[in-house]
Amino acid sequence: GAVVSQHPSWVICKSGTSVKIECRSLDFQATTMFWYRQFPKQSLMLMATSNEGSKATYEQGVEKDKFLINHASLTLSTLTVTSAHPEDSSFYICSAPGQPPLNLAKNIQYFGAGTRLSVL
Amino acid sequence: KNQVEQSPQSLIILEGKNCTLQCNYTVSPFSNLRWYKQDTGRGPVSLTIMTFSENTKSNGRYTATLDADTKQSSLHITASQLSDSASYICVVSFNAGNNRKLIWGLGTSLAVNP
């Protein structure tokens, strides 16, 4: 089946530093990827839609200058949390929709394992 | 307002027992409804996806139902196992212009005890 790899799985950083999270589709191409954030005991919240070769689309209330998204290839999207602060501590998850020609269900979202960010 | 509400919020059952989780939604125009299983600290894993015309769909011990008229869905877990302990999330997809959006429920936290 389709695999979405997310790296790192856990990162601890000092306040004010930037953290980059990678999301890779390992056996299929993803022209679109989604980035979510999840706080404890809350549902996933869509932050932005990453589009290969063009600018990301951010959800209302998400600061595009703080959460930089780069979708440089058909298999890689990155989320950079710039000047991270303790309130940015959260669980970040990426997903990619299944696309043909690998007979993946087009409506299925394949999720990475998530990245737990702790900002001290 | 597009909303997805799940009940119960949490549930504890004994291993081997069955359980049913509920999902009510007020999302329009409806595209499809998905159930995900999310283990603690992991990304969600898709269990089922149902379109408007589907009433029941099974995936092993998981059976999802959909009543598009009443806008209700349920996820039935049969013969529960310890590994079923997780959060089960109902997600409803709707069309917003040229884009498809997802509305996530808060999930039901299921604990299966030996």
Side-chain angles (χ1 to χ4, degrees), chain B residues 20-82:
Chain B
T20 300
L21 314 180
Q22 299 289 343
C23 174
N24 297 337
Y25 62 93
T26 56
V27 177
S28 181
F30 176 87
S31 178
N32 58 63
L33 185 146
R34 314 144 186 242
W35 282 94
Y36 286 92
K37 176 186 178 186
Q38 185 179 21
D39 293 310
T40 301
R42 306 288 293 179
V45 174
S46 179
L47 297 177
T48 65
I49 178 169
M50 303 178 71
T51 58
F52 185 86
S53 59
E54 296 176 297
N55 300 121
T56 303
K57 183 170 280 189
S58 293
N59 178 2
R61 293 181 296 103
Y62 301 103
T63 299
T65 66
L66 174 64
D67 186 333
D69 292 330
T70 61
K71 297 188 177 181
Q72 296 179 326
S73 175
S74 67
L75 180 68
H76 186 76
I77 304 175
T78 304
S80 61
Q81 300 176 358
L82 299 179

Side-chain angles (χ1 to χ4, degrees), chain A residues 45-120:
Chain A
M45 296 290 293
L46 179 64
M47 298 175 65
T49 302
S50 170
N51 303 298
E52 189 269 336
S54 64
K55 292 182 179 180
T57 304
Y58 290 82
E59 295 300 301
Q60 190 173 11
V62 178
E63 302 173 57
K64 59 181 66 177
D65 294 331
K66 180 166 184 64
F67 299 99
L68 300 179
I69 290 175
N70 188 310
H71 197 144
S73 75
L74 289 172
T75 59
L76 174 64
S77 175
T78 60
L79 169 68
T80 301
V81 183
T82 62
S83 186
H85 291 284
E87 57 266 30
D88 297 324
S89 297
S90 186
F91 191 55
Y92 293 85
I93 306 176
C94 69
S95 74
Q99 294 286 350
L102 295 178
N103 290 326
L104 299 174
K106 193 173 182 179
N107 280 319
I108 295 291
Q109 291 286 335
Y110 296 90
F111 285 85
T115 297
R116 184 161 302 283
L117 171 63
S118 298
V119 184
L120 305 178

Side-chain angles (χ1 to χ4, degrees), chain B residues 5-19:
Chain B
E5 295 183 349
Q6 289 186 245
S7 61
Q9 185 177 33
S10 62
L11 182 63
I12 302 174
I13 61 174
L14 293 176
E15 184 180 12
K17 297 296 185 181
N18 303 335
C19 67

